[in-house]
Every structure is written in C-alpha cells, then in structure tokens.
Amino acid sequence: MEGAAVQRLTGDRLHLSHGPIDVVLRAWGVPAAVRAAEAAATALFPTILPGLAAELAALRRPMAEAPRVAHPIARRMVTACAPFAPIFITPMAAVAGSVADALLAEMLAAAPLAKAFVNDGGDIALHVAPGDVLAIGLAADPQHLVLDGALRVTAASGIGGVATSGRHGRSFSLGIADAVTVLAHDAATADAAATLIANAVDCDSPAIRRAPASTLDLDSDLGDRLVTVDVGTLSDAEVARALDAGLARAEAFRTAGHIIGAALRLGGAVRATGLATLPPP
C-alpha cells in the first residue's frame, strides 16, 4: 500500500489520503494559525491507518464482547459505540467519524481557529467559534452528491459532528434508507448513530434483496447478517413503515441525549427529529 498523500485543493482545502481513509479539511483563522493547524493534521495523519490496522481484530468484535483496544482513535471508536449497546454494533461503525474527530482535535490543539471542518468520506467533524457560522449541505443521495438542504452551524447549536449512512454508503447496511443524516456533539457519535438508525429504516417487502455480508466481503464485521443488496419499487405504505421504524430509533437516541437531530430519507419521503429545535443562526 502506498504511503499517505497530501494535496492542496481549491478553496483553501487540504486532501489527505491513505488507503481507505480519504479526508478533506479546511481551517479558517489568522494565516499563522491555519498553517499550524494544517501542519498538525498532516503530521498525525500518516500514523492513523497503521495504528488502526494493528487493532482491527478487536475493532471488528461486537460491543457486547467488550473489545479492548489501545490506539487513541480506536478508543474513540469504542467510546462512541458504547452508549448504543445492547443493539448490535461494532466499533467499526464509528471509524470515519473518529478519524475526523481526532484530526480536528489535533488542529485545535495546535492553534485557535475561527472555524474548521474535517470531512472523512461524508462523516464530518466541525468547529465553530462564537460569532461564526459554518454552512454544510445535506445530501438526499450521498452516492451521487444530490443536495436537498443545508444547515448553518453555530457555536450555540452544539453540533460538533454530522454523519450520513444508508444503503448507498461505503459500508453495508442492514436497512433500506437512501440516507440518514445525524447531528451530534461529535462526529464519532454521529457516525455510530447514523449507522444504527439507517439499519432500523426497514420493512418486509419482496422488492428488497438481501445477502449475508460474509458472502460479499469475507472480512466484514457484520458476519452472516443479512445486508441490503438492492431495493426495487416500494409501495407508499412500505416506505412509511420503514421510515417510521427508523424515526422511532432516532427519537429514542435523541431522548437519551445521544444525538441532537436526524433526517431520514427513503424513496423521496423524509422524516426528521430535533432539527426544528436548533437555535437559529
């Protein structure tokens, strides 16, 4: 595998890539602070993949088995998933969000910033100082980057992480959601919650085709659990049943204080919780 690569993008963004980890980040602030933050992120980045690879066997174990890990980002993954037990989940459900959180924390430790984001494949860690605003798009179809909304994040909102999951994402899904976007205090928690809510968006229908995860990827942390392979045409009633099931889980997570809000999308229909309660920008 090739080593970590760093590339400057338009719009004052940095692209960091190493194997399956693909990150785009940006920082705002005085030039010296931005340079220090970027340097801190690029120094940490090459250590992440080797560190997580060394813990992979434990990170693929269900949280019910109390996986033990040592790497700081692996510990973030376990911590983020712990509140959602006893629902089946492995620490891998929070990997992208945990990487984003760790890079953002490194940037903020290096220098004070007005605002910043670290986007790890759609799972985003955010920082917004008081008086600033950061706008992010909400995708109805993350696979084709179809945006159907936007969110203006302020310090008062409490949002430190945004994550999207569903059957079009990079990982297998037990459910049929087109996309579930979750807002939380950090990206790792948002990542884990989005995975579980997307899994809950489901119903019985002959239009849904499933297969054991292990037949699609021998290394999948989902083992022989059935994952969604394809979704045909669903009736309006089936769409409603699936979204209502996912919304019930999202509202339970919000009531427990795990998440701030969530938007669930399937077949052109939407359910949401918590979004109307956010402070205005």
Side-chain angles (χ1 to χ4, degrees):
M1 181 182 296
E2 295 183 0
V6 180
Q7 180 184 10
R8 177 69 64 180
L9 301 177
T10 59
D12 297 321
R13 297 169 299 155
L14 275 185
H15 178 212
L16 312 179
S17 60
H18 193 187
I21 305 177
D22 194 72
V23 168
V24 175
L25 62 84
R26 183 178 179 185
W28 287 261
V30 300
V34 171
R35 288 194 297 270
E38 290 180 344
T42 54
L44 174 65
F45 186 70
T47 71
I48 294 175
L49 184 59
L52 292 181
E55 305 265 26
L56 196 53
L59 292 172
R60 285 175 170 161
R61 293 175 58 190
M63 286 299 301
E65 297 179 11
R68 294 187 177 184
V69 294
H71 190 274
I73 297 179
R75 291 201 302 269
R76 281 181 183 267
M77 295 163 63
V78 171
T79 299
C81 293
F84 300 106
I87 303 172
F88 170 81
I89 189 172
T90 77
M92 292 301 293
V95 60
S98 296
V99 169
D101 281 336
L103 287 168
L104 180 62
E106 197 78 0
M107 294 166 68
L108 294 174
L113 299 171
K115 55 187 176 180
F117 71 78
V118 178
N119 183 342
D120 184 0
D123 298 325
I124 310 169
L126 306 169
H127 164 74
V128 184
D132 273 287
V133 177
L134 185 61
I136 58 173
L138 300 180
D141 183 352
Q143 187 178 37
H144 298 101
L145 295 179
V146 177
L147 300 180
D148 69 341
L151 184 71
R152 288 166 57 83
V153 179
T154 66
S157 71
I159 300 170
V162 180
T164 299
S165 186
R167 68 184 185 89
H168 298 299
R170 296 181 296 177
S171 303
F172 296 136
S173 179
L174 305 182
I176 61 172
D178 291 328
V180 169
T181 299
V182 169
L183 317 176
H185 296 298
D186 59 80
T189 301
D191 194 4
T195 298
L196 292 179
I197 296 169
N199 286 347
V201 177
D202 201 8
C203 68
D204 292 326
S205 171
I208 303 170
R209 186 162 60 90
R210 310 178 196 266
S214 58
T215 65
L216 305 173
D217 179 359
L218 290 175
D219 295 324
S220 174
D221 59 317
L222 297 177
D224 293 333
R225 287 173 175 80
L226 294 177
V227 298
T228 302
V229 175
D230 188 44
V231 178
T233 301
L234 299 172
S235 69
D236 290 345
E238 288 170 333
V239 169
R241 261 199 324 273
L243 283 173
D244 287 345
L247 182 63
R249 177 167 287 181
E251 290 180 334
F253 288 172
R254 189 167 73 88
T255 299
H258 301 323
I259 68 173
I260 296 171
L264 297 67
R265 300 169 178 83
L266 173 62
V270 179
R271 298 284 191 279
T273 182
L275 301 186
T277 67
L278 297 179

